[in-house]
Each structure stands twice: as structure tokens, then as C-alpha cells.
Amino acid sequence: MKSPLEYARSSDTCAYEYVPVPAFEDNYIWVVSDGRNAVAVDPGDAAPVRAYLAKRGWRLVAILLTHHHNDHVGGVADLLADARVPVYGPAGEALGPLDAFVTRVKGGDAVHLEAPALDLTVLDVPGHTRGHIAYFQAADAAGTPHVFCGDTLFACGCGRLFEGTPAQMLDSLDALAALPGDTHVHCAHEYTLSNIRFALACDPDNADLRDWSREAAALRERGVPTLPTTIAHERAVNPFLRAGDAAVQAALTEALHESVPDRLAAFAMMREWKNRFR
Ligand SMILES: [Zn+2]
């Protein structure tokens, strides 16, 4: 099986760069650039974005927001003070003082940017928050798809259900899992190692997961991001995308001493277990 990194390397011919700029403790602010102009996704803090753009000589031309949490929107006002660039954000969420500056988008809407040239389709992915959206790019110059999914899908995990129901989140994850397998998944946090520890409890006999556990640990030891991941990789190793799998359901029954009537129940049990898993 290809690791996420191998998938990422396969698109090195693409001239655009998709860079995870670290922020706070474990956030990534994804920056997409054509080598001159850049888009920032979920800039919770302006300082690391400014510093990174200055280092590369890139100019910020647009901001994309997935949901209203402060670690995703907290840097927008400062960045707008540097330059008034267009900001796209979820139609279904209040963004306080930013409301006046944000172009609202919802599932099915298209976002077109000139430079970097990006054609994005908005997906509604509620669950972590009520109005959470994701941005899907069907193909970069090399034909590789990309998705910016905020706090919905993580490498080997998914976001907490702060505002939505398990059924909403499962629908959202199903929509993401239905994207092409080679889609690069740009998640907003480096939670991979702790997610893998939990995934191994839910899916202990998954050989792909055990391989990935070793690879991810080696990447983090070298200080390398485990992202982007890919949809194909997540279908293979992410227990939240495998709630219908018999082995996962059996592991849940054994660990939680509860029967698992169906896939939604398995998902809900897993999500609740993850909240208290140490
Ligand atoms: Zn969040």
C-alpha cells in the first residue's frame, strides 16, 4: 500500500505548492501557492502565515475558512489589516466581527480564484460544527485532487462533535470518503500519532494500520508532517471510515461490552470512546 507521503511525492510535477504551516500547538494552516501568490486556509494566527509568506516572497491573495472556531479564524482580522483580500467562509456560521468581510459559500457552490488558479467546489460537512464546509479541488495541474477539510476528517481520526450529531458527521465523512482515492487530504491538525493509538484499539488486526503506525512515528521523529494523507489511505486505516467493518465492530463489542446494532451505532460508540481514550 502507498503511504500518504508516496502519494504526495507522485504529484511533485505539479508547480503549485501545498504547504502545512504549523501554528499553535498542533494546527496546520495550509498555504497554496503558484510560486508568487498564495491562499491561506483557516489562518487561526496571522504571525506564522506572515513569517512564512515573507520567507518565500509570496503575496497573500485570498483566505478560505472551513468553520468558526478561533484557532481557524483568529488571524483573519490581522491579515486583512495587511491587505484586504477576499475571504470565503461557511454560509451557516456566525463569524462575529469578520461577518462583514466574508463571502458566504455553501455545499455545491464554486469558488474560483485567478492566481493561484484554483477551482474549488464547496462541500457541506456538518458534525464538528453545524455549518462546517470543505473545499474540493478536482484536479491540480498534474491531475491530482485536493480537499481542505478543516476539523472534519483527520489522518486516522475525525473531529469532535461539538455541534452536530453522529449521523450528520457520518454523512459528512461518507461524502469525503467518496472523493477519488488519490485526493490529497489537507487536515487542520497534526493529531496523527494519538489518532493511530486509538485506531489500533478499534482495528487491532489491520495490517495497513500497523504499517502506517510505524511510518507515521518515524516521520514525527524527524519532525516531518504526516500530512497530507489521501482518501484511499484513510479508507484503509481510519476506523471512523470503517465503522461498517465487521472486525472494527467486533473490537468495539469486546472493548466496550456493548452490542453494535449497526454502522451508525458503531460510529457513535467509537466517537464517544475516543473522547475519553487516553
Ligand atoms: Zn474546530
XYZ file of all heavy atoms in Angstrom, residues 76-174:
715
model
N -7.490 36.161 10.914
C -8.014 36.778 9.688
C -7.991 38.304 9.769
O -7.539 38.980 8.836
C -9.446 36.266 9.379
C -10.032 37.020 8.194
C -9.433 34.764 9.104
N -8.448 38.870 10.885
C -8.515 40.335 11.001
C -7.135 40.953 10.832
O -6.974 41.956 10.126
C -9.129 40.724 12.348
N -6.114 40.341 11.446
C -4.747 40.864 11.315
C -4.250 40.769 9.878
O -3.592 41.684 9.380
C -3.789 40.079 12.221
C -3.836 40.571 13.659
O -4.542 41.571 13.913
O -3.172 39.949 14.516
N -4.561 39.665 9.214
C -4.114 39.508 7.820
C -4.830 40.510 6.915
O -4.224 41.057 5.991
C -4.346 38.075 7.333
C -3.448 37.012 7.995
C -3.896 35.607 7.600
C -1.974 37.222 7.624
N -6.101 40.791 7.222
C -6.847 41.772 6.419
C -6.330 43.190 6.662
O -6.448 44.053 5.796
C -8.344 41.690 6.716
C -9.060 40.427 6.231
C -10.540 40.491 6.572
C -8.867 40.211 4.730
N -5.754 43.411 7.857
C -5.160 44.726 8.132
C -3.930 44.947 7.250
O -3.607 46.076 6.879
C -4.789 44.828 9.611
N -3.229 43.840 6.899
C -2.075 43.953 5.978
C -2.557 44.215 4.555
O -1.962 44.999 3.826
C -1.270 42.632 5.949
C -0.696 42.261 7.304
O -0.654 43.133 8.180
O -0.293 41.091 7.468
N -3.594 43.502 4.142
C -4.112 43.625 2.763
C -5.544 43.111 2.742
O -5.817 42.033 3.269
C -3.251 42.812 1.801
N -6.432 43.895 2.114
C -7.842 43.491 2.049
C -8.041 42.467 0.944
O -8.305 42.810 -0.199
C -8.723 44.711 1.809
C -8.998 45.484 3.079
C -9.924 44.728 4.016
N -11.286 44.717 3.518
C -12.165 45.705 3.722
N -11.831 46.763 4.421
N -13.385 45.626 3.230
N -7.899 41.192 1.280
C -8.058 40.124 0.287
C -9.428 39.484 0.464
O -10.034 39.582 1.541
C -6.943 39.057 0.437
C -5.571 39.688 0.252
C -7.042 38.328 1.781
N -9.964 38.838 -0.577
C -11.243 38.145 -0.417
C -11.154 37.009 0.601
O -10.136 36.317 0.667
C -11.532 37.575 -1.818
C -10.465 38.065 -2.722
C -9.403 38.723 -1.916
N -12.228 36.853 1.384
C -12.319 35.781 2.372
C -13.588 34.991 2.076
O -14.665 35.580 1.935
C -12.403 36.332 3.815
C -12.415 35.194 4.830
C -11.264 37.305 4.104
N -13.469 33.675 1.965
C -14.632 32.808 1.775
C -14.849 32.018 3.053
O -13.884 31.574 3.681
C -14.400 31.854 0.599
C -14.238 32.581 -0.708
C -12.983 33.018 -1.125
C -15.341 32.868 -1.496
C -12.830 33.719 -2.311
C -15.203 33.570 -2.685
C -13.936 33.991 -3.088
O -13.795 34.684 -4.259
N -16.118 31.864 3.440
C -16.405 31.151 4.676
C -17.789 30.542 4.649
O -18.581 30.782 3.725
N -18.090 29.728 5.664
C -19.337 28.972 5.678
C -20.583 29.851 5.793
O -20.641 30.750 6.634
C -19.198 28.072 6.905
C -18.179 28.728 7.764
C -17.257 29.467 6.848
N -21.579 29.555 4.950
C -22.829 30.315 4.964
C -23.579 30.117 6.275
O -24.300 31.002 6.719
C -23.701 29.867 3.792
N -23.382 28.968 6.910
C -24.213 28.624 8.061
C -23.614 28.964 9.411
O -24.088 28.445 10.421
N -22.576 29.808 9.473
C -21.973 30.092 10.775
C -21.726 31.582 10.960
O -21.345 32.278 10.019
C -20.644 29.323 10.915
C -20.859 27.814 10.800
C -19.712 26.977 11.345
O -18.611 27.508 11.535
O -19.959 25.774 11.567
N -21.940 32.055 12.192
C -21.651 33.453 12.523
C -20.157 33.593 12.781
O -19.556 32.763 13.460
C -22.437 33.855 13.759
N -19.569 34.645 12.232
C -18.127 34.843 12.376
C -17.815 36.162 13.074
O -16.719 36.701 12.942
C -17.446 34.772 11.001
C -17.545 33.409 10.302
C -17.133 33.511 8.844
C -16.685 32.374 11.012
N -18.782 36.673 13.842
C -18.569 37.871 14.655
C -18.135 39.054 13.814
O -18.725 39.347 12.770
N -17.047 39.728 14.257
C -16.608 40.935 13.556
C -16.166 40.676 12.112
O -16.058 41.605 11.320
C -15.412 41.437 14.388
C -15.280 40.530 15.551
C -16.247 39.410 15.442
N -15.899 39.412 11.785
C -15.460 39.108 10.414
C -16.618 39.076 9.433
O -16.413 39.093 8.217
C -14.764 37.738 10.364
C -13.434 37.597 11.095
C -12.940 36.164 10.972
C -12.406 38.568 10.519
N -17.853 38.994 9.964
C -19.024 38.785 9.107
C -19.051 39.716 7.899
O -19.386 39.297 6.797
C -20.321 38.941 9.916
C -20.690 37.644 10.626
O -20.302 36.566 10.120
O -21.348 37.703 11.680
N -18.670 40.971 8.112
C -18.765 41.967 7.039
C -17.778 41.691 5.901
O -17.954 42.189 4.790
C -18.498 43.356 7.615
N -16.735 40.901 6.173
C -15.673 40.722 5.175
C -15.759 39.391 4.432
O -14.964 39.141 3.530
C -14.294 40.797 5.859
C -14.078 42.058 6.619
C -14.244 42.103 7.998
C -13.732 43.229 5.943
C -14.053 43.282 8.700
C -13.538 44.408 6.639
C -13.700 44.445 8.020
N -16.683 38.536 4.847
C -16.660 37.151 4.351
C -17.713 36.920 3.277
O -18.884 37.259 3.449
C -16.866 36.162 5.521
C -16.944 34.727 5.009
C -15.738 36.290 6.532
N -17.298 36.357 2.154
C -18.218 35.874 1.127
C -18.697 34.502 1.552
O -17.898 33.584 1.747
C -17.498 35.766 -0.236
O -16.983 37.046 -0.575
C -18.448 35.287 -1.324
N -20.019 34.361 1.730
C -20.570 33.125 2.272
C -20.755 32.080 1.188
O -21.315 32.389 0.126
C -21.933 33.402 2.915
C -21.879 34.425 4.014
C -20.844 34.011 5.043
N -20.868 34.901 6.170
C -20.790 34.478 7.428
N -20.681 33.190 7.694
N -20.794 35.348 8.405
N -20.313 30.858 1.463
C -20.489 29.775 0.498
C -21.044 28.543 1.199
O -20.863 28.347 2.392
C -19.158 29.431 -0.218
C -18.744 30.555 -1.156
C -18.038 29.137 0.781
N -21.746 27.717 0.399
C -22.361 26.506 0.946
C -22.194 25.357 -0.052
O -21.728 25.582 -1.186
C -23.835 26.762 1.242
C -24.630 27.155 0.016
C -26.063 27.439 0.388
C -26.935 27.728 -0.829
N -26.367 28.637 -1.829
N -22.590 24.161 0.386
C -22.415 22.967 -0.441
C -22.891 23.162 -1.867
O -23.996 23.659 -2.084
N -22.064 22.795 -2.837
C -22.417 22.920 -4.243
C -21.930 24.207 -4.882
O -21.857 24.304 -6.113
N -21.583 25.204 -4.058
C -21.070 26.463 -4.616
C -19.670 26.252 -5.193
O -18.922 25.375 -4.749
C -20.979 27.546 -3.533
C -22.345 28.097 -3.146
O -23.326 27.764 -3.836
O -22.416 28.856 -2.159
N -19.336 27.094 -6.158
C -17.990 27.069 -6.734
C -17.234 28.298 -6.273
O -17.793 29.390 -6.192
C -18.078 27.050 -8.255
N -15.954 28.112 -5.945
C -15.064 29.231 -5.640
C -13.977 29.210 -6.701
O -13.276 28.208 -6.854
C -14.441 29.101 -4.229
C -13.407 30.194 -4.003
C -15.523 29.162 -3.159
N -13.861 30.306 -7.445
C -12.847 30.381 -8.496
C -11.838 31.465 -8.158
O -12.213 32.607 -7.921
C -13.499 30.684 -9.853
C -12.505 30.947 -10.926
N -11.772 29.932 -11.510
C -12.074 32.104 -11.484
C -10.944 30.467 -12.395
N -11.109 31.771 -12.404
N -10.572 31.087 -8.100
C -9.505 32.063 -7.869
C -8.628 32.115 -9.108
O -8.344 31.088 -9.728
C -8.676 31.674 -6.645
C -9.456 31.515 -5.329
C -8.551 31.000 -4.231
C -10.090 32.840 -4.909
N -8.187 33.326 -9.457
C -7.403 33.514 -10.692
C -5.949 33.088 -10.521
O -5.393 32.401 -11.360
C -7.446 35.000 -11.090
C -8.807 35.491 -11.546
C -9.156 35.006 -12.946
O -8.218 34.764 -13.736
O -10.355 34.853 -13.246
N -5.315 33.576 -9.452
C -3.894 33.293 -9.248
C -3.603 33.264 -7.761
O -3.713 34.306 -7.127
C -3.037 34.364 -9.925
N -3.271 32.101 -7.223
C -3.127 30.828 -7.914
C -4.462 30.390 -8.512
O -5.504 30.609 -7.896
C -2.680 29.853 -6.812
C -3.146 30.469 -5.535
C -3.106 31.941 -5.763
N -4.417 29.804 -9.692
C -5.645 29.367 -10.366
C -6.206 28.155 -9.637
O -5.633 27.076 -9.689
C -5.340 29.026 -11.819
N -7.299 28.361 -8.917
C -7.916 27.265 -8.160
C -9.411 27.264 -8.437
O -10.071 28.297 -8.284
C -7.703 27.462 -6.653
C -6.294 27.294 -6.085
C -6.289 27.628 -4.598
C -5.784 25.864 -6.302
N -9.914 26.118 -8.866
C -11.350 25.922 -8.995
C -11.771 24.971 -7.900
O -11.390 23.805 -7.907
C -11.692 25.337 -10.377
C -11.676 26.415 -11.431
O -12.355 27.438 -11.234
O -10.954 26.250 -12.430
N -12.544 25.488 -6.959
C -12.915 24.713 -5.778
C -14.423 24.523 -5.730
O -15.185 25.425 -6.098
C -12.469 25.448 -4.511
C -10.972 25.783 -4.438
C -10.706 26.850 -3.392
C -10.171 24.524 -4.127
N -14.836 23.344 -5.291
C -16.246 23.077 -5.035
C -16.427 22.979 -3.531
O -15.635 22.332 -2.838
C -16.681 21.751 -5.688
O -16.365 21.819 -7.077
C -18.162 21.512 -5.513
N -17.462 23.632 -3.032
C -17.719 23.622 -1.591
C -18.563 22.390 -1.244
O -19.517 22.053 -1.949
C -18.439 24.912 -1.167
C -18.754 24.904 0.327
C -17.592 26.130 -1.528
N -18.157 21.713 -0.161
C -18.922 20.571 0.359
C -19.451 20.941 1.744
O -18.712 21.509 2.554
C -18.031 19.333 0.507
C -17.199 18.889 -0.702
C -16.262 17.752 -0.301
C -18.121 18.432 -1.818
N -20.718 20.631 2.016
C -21.245 20.773 3.376
C -20.836 19.539 4.170
O -21.181 18.420 3.785
C -22.783 20.864 3.346
C -23.273 22.248 2.959
O -22.588 23.238 3.302
O -24.328 22.336 2.307
N -20.094 19.752 5.261
C -19.654 18.613 6.078
C -19.915 18.893 7.559
O -18.987 18.992 8.371
C -18.164 18.273 5.822
C -17.992 17.585 4.477
C -17.276 19.514 5.878
N -21.197 19.023 7.949
C -21.509 19.346 9.340
C -21.184 18.182 10.283
O -21.095 17.037 9.851
C -23.024 19.592 9.303
C -23.519 18.756 8.164
C -22.407 18.807 7.139
N -21.029 18.520 11.564
C -20.759 17.496 12.576
C -19.863 18.063 13.658
O -20.242 18.172 14.817
N -18.640 18.455 13.274
C -17.736 19.126 14.230
C -18.367 20.452 14.645
O -18.480 20.763 15.828
C -16.383 19.332 13.558
C -15.386 20.078 14.381
N -14.809 19.560 15.519
C -14.847 21.326 14.224
C -13.972 20.453 16.025
N -13.978 21.529 15.263
N -18.788 21.229 13.642
C -19.669 22.376 13.880
C -20.852 22.243 12.925
O -20.790 21.491 11.955
C -18.955 23.725 13.630
O -18.516 23.771 12.263
C -17.766 23.914 14.558
N -21.895 23.015 13.199
C -23.144 22.870 12.430
C -22.985 23.257 10.961
O -23.581 22.658 10.093
C -24.239 23.756 13.056
C -25.553 23.067 13.283
C -26.573 24.035 13.878
N -26.050 24.772 15.040
C -26.028 24.297 16.278
N -26.517 23.107 16.544
N -25.538 25.013 17.266
N -22.171 24.283 10.710
C -22.086 24.795 9.336
C -20.756 24.496 8.652
O -20.420 25.142 7.657
N -20.000 23.551 9.177
C -18.648 23.252 8.672
C -18.691 22.951 7.171
O -19.543 22.200 6.707
C -18.091 22.047 9.435
C -16.591 21.919 9.385
N -15.875 21.837 8.222
C -15.676 21.845 10.391
C -14.579 21.717 8.508
N -14.428 21.724 9.820
N -17.738 23.543 6.417
C -17.621 23.242 4.987
C -16.207 22.765 4.670
O -15.287 22.925 5.484
C -17.955 24.468 4.095
C -17.064 25.654 4.442
C -19.442 24.843 4.230
C -17.217 26.846 3.494
N -16.083 22.141 3.494
C -14.769 21.745 2.987
C -14.659 22.275 1.562
O -15.670 22.589 0.925
C -14.616 20.227 3.017
N -13.422 22.390 1.080
C -13.175 22.900 -0.270
C -12.473 21.802 -1.065
O -11.396 21.344 -0.666
C -12.279 24.137 -0.220
C -12.882 25.303 0.531
C -12.707 25.434 1.907
C -13.617 26.278 -0.138
C -13.250 26.510 2.603
C -14.160 27.361 0.550
C -13.971 27.470 1.914
O -14.502 28.534 2.598
N -13.090 21.407 -2.180
C -12.541 20.319 -3.000
C -12.034 20.871 -4.317
O -12.759 21.587 -5.027
C -13.630 19.267 -3.251
C -13.195 18.150 -4.169
C -12.179 17.278 -3.797
C -13.813 17.972 -5.402
C -11.774 16.245 -4.648
C -13.423 16.940 -6.255
C -12.404 16.077 -5.879
N -10.797 20.546 -4.632
C -10.206 20.902 -5.933
C -10.130 19.611 -6.736
O -9.404 18.678 -6.367
C -8.803 21.491 -5.719
C -8.118 21.892 -7.014
C -6.654 22.279 -6.807
O -6.065 22.031 -5.754
N -6.064 22.885 -7.822
N -10.859 19.524 -7.836
C -10.982 18.251 -8.567
C -9.668 17.812 -9.204
O -9.408 16.620 -9.321
C -12.071 18.352 -9.626
N -8.842 18.771 -9.604
C -7.567 18.395 -10.226
C -6.610 19.576 -10.210
O -6.980 20.683 -10.596
C -7.791 17.945 -11.669
N -5.367 19.334 -9.757
C -4.339 20.357 -9.925
C -3.718 20.171 -11.316
O -4.206 19.364 -12.118
C -3.310 20.289 -8.777
C -2.517 18.987 -8.744
O -2.472 18.274 -9.774
O -1.927 18.688 -7.685
N -2.615 20.877 -11.607
C -2.030 20.817 -12.958
C -1.590 19.395 -13.313
O -1.552 19.026 -14.483
C -0.856 21.777 -13.055
N -1.282 18.594 -12.286
C -0.853 17.213 -12.530
C -2.034 16.238 -12.485
O -1.846 15.030 -12.579
C 0.202 16.808 -11.510
N -3.254 16.774 -12.297
C -4.439 15.920 -12.271
C -4.803 15.398 -10.888
O -5.757 14.636 -10.738
N -4.051 15.805 -9.867
C -4.306 15.314 -8.509
C -5.405 16.137 -7.832
O -5.349 17.363 -7.847
C -3.018 15.419 -7.662
O -1.985 14.680 -8.312
C -3.224 14.881 -6.256
N -6.400 15.465 -7.236
C -7.418 16.200 -6.478
C -6.925 16.545 -5.062
O -6.041 15.871 -4.533
C -8.587 15.199 -6.389
C -8.168 13.980 -7.141
C -6.690 14.020 -7.309
N -7.512 17.587 -4.507
C -7.166 18.018 -3.147
C -8.446 18.366 -2.399
O -9.399 18.868 -3.005
C -6.294 19.278 -3.176
C -4.976 19.088 -3.856
N -3.803 18.869 -3.176
C -4.655 19.071 -5.176
C -2.804 18.736 -4.047
N -3.298 18.850 -5.260
N -8.449 18.144 -1.083
C -9.563 18.638 -0.270
C -9.017 19.280 1.003
O -8.052 18.783 1.597
C -10.601 17.525 0.037
C -10.053 16.469 0.995
C -11.903 18.125 0.570
N -9.599 20.423 1.349
C -9.275 21.115 2.596
C -10.472 20.912 3.510
O -11.546 21.477 3.258
C -9.013 22.604 2.329
C -7.892 22.807 1.357
C -8.143 22.907 -0.001
C -6.582 22.839 1.807
C -7.100 23.057 -0.901
C -5.526 22.985 0.908
C -5.792 23.098 -0.452
N -10.295 20.095 4.540
C -11.463 19.618 5.281
C -11.497 20.085 6.726
O -12.322 19.593 7.501
C -11.545 18.101 5.198
S -10.062 17.288 5.782
N -10.617 21.037 7.095
C -10.691 21.623 8.434
C -10.608 20.578 9.523
O -9.677 19.765 9.561
N -11.597 20.581 10.418
C -11.622 19.648 11.550
C -12.657 18.542 11.357
O -13.236 18.051 12.332
C -11.930 20.403 12.855
C -10.755 21.246 13.326
O -9.654 21.119 12.750
O -10.942 22.031 14.274
N -12.924 18.147 10.116
C -13.886 17.069 9.875
C -13.189 15.717 9.842
O -13.421 14.865 10.691
C -14.640 17.314 8.552
O -15.268 18.580 8.634
C -15.696 16.249 8.335
N -12.325 15.549 8.844
C -11.556 14.312 8.705
C -10.111 14.596 9.079
O -9.521 15.565 8.597
C -11.640 13.833 7.244
C -10.834 12.599 6.847
C -11.305 11.358 7.613
C -10.938 12.356 5.341
N -9.552 13.758 9.973
C -8.132 13.827 10.290
C -7.460 12.544 9.826
O -8.145 11.551 9.559
C -7.907 13.987 11.802
C -8.386 15.295 12.355
C -9.273 15.330 13.421
C -7.943 16.497 11.818
C -9.714 16.538 13.941
C -8.382 17.706 12.335
C -9.264 17.726 13.396
N -6.148 12.558 9.768
C -5.420 11.326 9.466
C -5.707 10.336 10.587
O -5.400 10.592 11.743
C -3.927 11.598 9.356
N -6.352 9.247 10.252
C -6.697 8.186 11.204
C -7.729 8.621 12.257
O -7.884 7.942 13.271
C -5.456 7.644 11.907
S -5.068 5.991 11.395
N -8.433 9.721 12.018
C -9.413 10.155 13.011
C -10.446 11.079 12.397
O -10.507 11.257 11.177
N -11.267 11.683 13.266
C -12.217 12.698 12.811
C -12.414 13.701 13.933
O -11.989 13.468 15.067
C -13.553 12.067 12.398
S -14.588 11.510 13.760
N -13.040 14.829 13.611
C -13.229 15.885 14.597
C -14.245 15.497 15.671
O -15.076 14.612 15.478
N -14.138 16.185 16.802
C -15.134 16.009 17.866
C -16.478 16.562 17.421
O -16.533 17.495 16.619
C -14.714 16.790 19.115
C -13.713 16.107 19.971
C -13.331 17.031 21.122
N -12.257 16.444 21.893
C -12.430 15.803 23.064
N -13.623 15.738 23.619
N -11.402 15.276 23.694
N -17.538 16.024 17.996
C -18.883 16.500 17.655
C -19.284 17.596 18.632
O -19.935 17.338 19.637
C -19.880 15.337 17.713
C -19.513 14.138 16.832
C -20.627 13.087 16.874
C -19.253 14.574 15.405
N -18.869 18.829 18.346
C -19.216 19.939 19.236
C -20.656 20.399 19.022
O -21.338 20.786 19.944
C -18.265 21.118 19.028
C -16.910 20.906 19.626
C -15.787 20.826 18.828
C -16.758 20.784 21.003
C -14.527 20.632 19.391
C -15.513 20.588 21.584
C -14.389 20.515 20.762
N -21.103 20.393 17.762
C -22.433 20.950 17.468
C -23.339 19.992 16.709
O -24.553 20.171 16.697
C -22.275 22.253 16.650
C -21.524 23.338 17.400
C -21.199 24.542 16.510
O -21.764 24.657 15.406
O -20.364 25.355 16.928
N -22.777 19.015 16.061
C -23.586 18.129 15.220
C -23.834 16.781 15.863
O -23.359 16.495 16.965
N -24.589 15.952 15.169
C -24.925 14.614 15.655
C -24.008 13.581 14.990
O -23.407 13.848 13.949
C -26.372 14.265 15.275
O -26.455 14.196 13.832
C -27.353 15.309 15.785
N -23.938 12.379 15.591
C -23.163 11.318 14.933
C -23.657 11.048 13.509
O -22.833 10.829 12.608
C -23.399 10.101 15.844
C -23.654 10.685 17.200
C -24.410 11.963 16.932
N -24.964 11.078 13.284
C -25.486 10.802 11.937
C -25.010 11.857 10.937
O -24.625 11.527 9.803
C -27.011 10.752 11.961
N -25.001 13.129 11.362
C -24.506 14.190 10.468
C -23.025 13.979 10.143
O -22.608 14.110 8.995
C -24.655 15.562 11.143
C -26.047 16.135 11.087
C -26.114 17.454 11.841
O -25.469 17.635 12.871
N -26.910 18.372 11.325
N -22.240 13.679 11.183
C -20.802 13.518 10.962
C -20.525 12.309 10.087
O -19.656 12.373 9.206
C -20.081 13.377 12.310
C -18.569 13.387 12.206
S -17.925 14.911 11.432
C -16.457 15.203 12.407
N -21.274 11.233 10.299
C -21.054 10.043 9.468
C -21.384 10.349 8.005
O -20.647 9.948 7.100
C -21.891 8.873 9.992
C -21.607 7.507 9.348
C -20.133 7.104 9.480
C -22.500 6.427 9.958
N -22.474 11.090 7.764
C -22.801 11.512 6.387
C -21.673 12.356 5.796
O -21.308 12.206 4.627
C -24.089 12.355 6.367
C -25.348 11.487 6.425
O -25.220 10.252 6.302
O -26.446 12.063 6.593
N -21.139 13.263 6.606
C -20.053 14.129 6.128
C -18.818 13.314 5.789
O -18.172 13.532 4.757
C -19.707 15.176 7.186
O -20.818 16.021 7.419
N -18.474 12.360 6.663
C -17.296 11.525 6.409
C -17.533 10.620 5.199
O -16.609 10.370 4.420
C -16.951 10.689 7.653
C -16.489 11.503 8.864
C -16.276 10.584 10.063
C -15.198 12.273 8.565
N -18.772 10.163 5.026
C -19.095 9.363 3.826
C -18.877 10.185 2.561
O -18.366 9.679 1.556
C -20.554 8.875 3.871
C -20.755 7.715 4.840
O -19.753 7.113 5.273
O -21.928 7.419 5.181
